[in-house]
Amino acid sequence: MGCHGEDGSGSDAFPRLNGQNPPYVVNQLMNFKTGGRTNDNKGLMQAVAKRMNEQEINAVAEYVTTLKEAE
Ligand code: HEM
Protein backbone atom coordinates (compact mmCIF):
# COMPACT_ATOMS: atom_id res chain seq x y z
CA MET A 1 0.00 0.00 0.00
CA GLY A 2 2.86 2.41 0.79
CA CYS A 3 3.93 2.44 -2.82
CA HIS A 4 1.32 0.68 -4.97
CA GLY A 5 -1.64 2.42 -3.24
CA GLU A 6 -4.40 1.30 -0.84
CA ASP A 7 -6.35 -0.34 -3.69
CA GLY A 8 -3.27 -1.43 -5.64
CA SER A 9 -3.98 1.04 -8.45
CA GLY A 10 -0.40 2.29 -8.44
CA SER A 11 0.57 5.77 -9.60
CA ASP A 12 2.83 7.39 -12.19
CA ALA A 13 5.83 6.05 -10.23
CA PHE A 14 4.52 2.65 -9.06
CA PRO A 15 2.81 0.01 -11.24
CA ARG A 16 -0.78 -1.13 -10.79
CA LEU A 17 -1.12 -4.47 -8.97
CA ASN A 18 -4.89 -4.87 -8.46
CA GLY A 19 -6.34 -7.68 -10.56
CA GLN A 20 -2.87 -8.81 -11.68
CA ASN A 21 -2.65 -12.58 -12.20
CA PRO A 22 -0.84 -14.32 -9.33
CA PRO A 23 1.70 -16.35 -11.39
CA TYR A 24 2.91 -13.08 -12.98
CA VAL A 25 3.24 -11.41 -9.55
CA VAL A 26 5.11 -14.43 -8.13
CA ASN A 27 7.49 -14.50 -11.11
CA GLN A 28 8.21 -10.75 -10.87
CA LEU A 29 8.77 -10.87 -7.11
CA MET A 30 11.10 -13.88 -7.49
CA ASN A 31 12.95 -12.00 -10.26
CA PHE A 32 13.35 -8.92 -8.04
CA LYS A 33 14.44 -11.22 -5.15
CA THR A 34 17.09 -13.07 -7.18
CA GLY A 35 18.35 -10.07 -9.16
CA GLY A 36 16.74 -11.31 -12.40
CA ARG A 37 14.90 -7.98 -12.62
CA THR A 38 16.73 -4.81 -11.67
CA ASN A 39 14.86 -2.03 -13.51
CA ASP A 40 13.16 -0.71 -10.36
CA ASN A 41 13.92 2.87 -9.36
CA LYS A 42 16.67 2.92 -6.64
CA GLY A 43 16.23 -0.89 -6.18
CA LEU A 44 13.12 -0.16 -4.10
CA MET A 45 11.33 -3.31 -5.16
CA GLN A 46 14.41 -5.53 -4.95
CA ALA A 47 14.83 -4.46 -1.31
CA VAL A 48 11.22 -5.43 -0.56
CA ALA A 49 11.34 -8.77 -2.39
CA LYS A 50 14.67 -9.78 -0.79
CA ARG A 51 12.99 -9.58 2.63
CA MET A 52 10.10 -11.84 1.60
CA ASN A 53 10.08 -15.66 1.70
CA GLU A 54 8.25 -17.78 -0.89
CA GLN A 55 5.19 -18.29 1.34
CA GLU A 56 4.82 -14.52 1.76
CA ILE A 57 5.33 -13.94 -1.98
CA ASN A 58 2.58 -16.46 -2.80
CA ALA A 59 0.28 -14.92 -0.18
CA VAL A 60 0.55 -11.33 -1.49
CA ALA A 61 0.23 -12.57 -5.09
CA GLU A 62 -3.12 -14.17 -4.21
CA TYR A 63 -4.08 -11.02 -2.27
CA VAL A 64 -3.35 -8.39 -4.94
CA THR A 65 -5.48 -10.27 -7.48
CA THR A 66 -8.50 -9.67 -5.19
CA LEU A 67 -7.92 -5.91 -4.93
CA LYS A 68 -10.42 -3.70 -6.73
CA GLU A 69 -10.11 -0.07 -7.91
CA ALA A 70 -11.55 2.19 -5.17
CA GLU A 71 -14.84 3.80 -6.33
C1 HEM B 1 4.58 -6.80 -0.50
C2 HEM B 1 4.48 -5.62 -1.09
C3 HEM B 1 4.72 -5.44 -2.57
C4 HEM B 1 4.34 -6.22 -3.62
C5 HEM B 1 3.56 -7.51 -3.59
C6 HEM B 1 4.84 -5.58 -4.83
C7 HEM B 1 4.69 -6.12 -6.11
C8 HEM B 1 5.26 -5.58 -7.25
C9 HEM B 1 5.18 -6.20 -8.56
C10 HEM B 1 4.48 -7.50 -8.89
C11 HEM B 1 5.85 -5.39 -9.41
C12 HEM B 1 6.02 -5.61 -10.95
C13 HEM B 1 4.89 -4.94 -11.61
C14 HEM B 1 4.80 -5.24 -13.10
O1 HEM B 1 5.74 -5.79 -13.66
O2 HEM B 1 3.74 -4.95 -13.65
C15 HEM B 1 6.33 -4.26 -8.65
C16 HEM B 1 7.04 -3.23 -9.17
C17 HEM B 1 7.46 -2.17 -8.42
N1 HEM B 1 7.32 -1.98 -7.07
FE1 HEM B 1 6.41 -3.18 -5.80
N2 HEM B 1 5.48 -4.42 -4.51
C18 HEM B 1 5.43 -4.30 -3.14
C19 HEM B 1 5.94 -3.28 -2.38
C20 HEM B 1 6.60 -2.19 -2.90
C21 HEM B 1 7.13 -1.11 -2.10
C22 HEM B 1 7.05 -1.01 -0.58
C23 HEM B 1 7.70 -0.25 -2.98
C24 HEM B 1 8.40 1.04 -2.71
C25 HEM B 1 9.24 1.18 -1.67
C26 HEM B 1 7.54 -0.82 -4.32
C27 HEM B 1 8.00 -0.25 -5.47
C28 HEM B 1 7.91 -0.80 -6.74
C29 HEM B 1 8.46 -0.19 -7.93
C30 HEM B 1 9.20 1.14 -8.01
C31 HEM B 1 8.15 -1.04 -8.99
C32 HEM B 1 8.42 -0.80 -10.49
C33 HEM B 1 9.59 -1.44 -11.03
C34 HEM B 1 9.65 -1.02 -12.52
O3 HEM B 1 10.08 0.10 -12.74
O4 HEM B 1 9.27 -1.80 -13.37
N3 HEM B 1 6.84 -1.98 -4.24
N4 HEM B 1 5.96 -4.40 -7.32
Side-chain angles (χ1 to χ4, degrees):
M1 293 182 186
C3 293
H4 294 279
E6 184 109 9
D7 64 356
S9 293
S11 65
D12 55 358
F14 300 108
R16 166 187 299 277
L17 294 180
N18 54 24
Q20 185 61 276
N21 65 55
Y24 176 82
V25 174
V26 170
N27 288 343
Q28 296 314 310
L29 290 174
M30 291 308 287
N31 287 341
F32 282 122
K33 187 177 174 66
T34 57
R37 180 173 170 175
T38 56
N39 70 325
D40 51 326
N41 180 20
K42 301 191 191 85
L44 287 172
M45 198 54 230
Q46 293 170 70
V48 171
K50 282 195 172 78
R51 291 202 306 270
M52 299 170 77
N53 62 37
E54 271 191 61
Q55 196 201 359
E56 290 164 334
I57 286 175
N58 290 324
V60 287
E62 292 297 330
Y63 172 68
V64 296
T65 201
T66 68
L67 289 176
K68 299 261 177 313
E69 188 99 14
E71 305 301 325

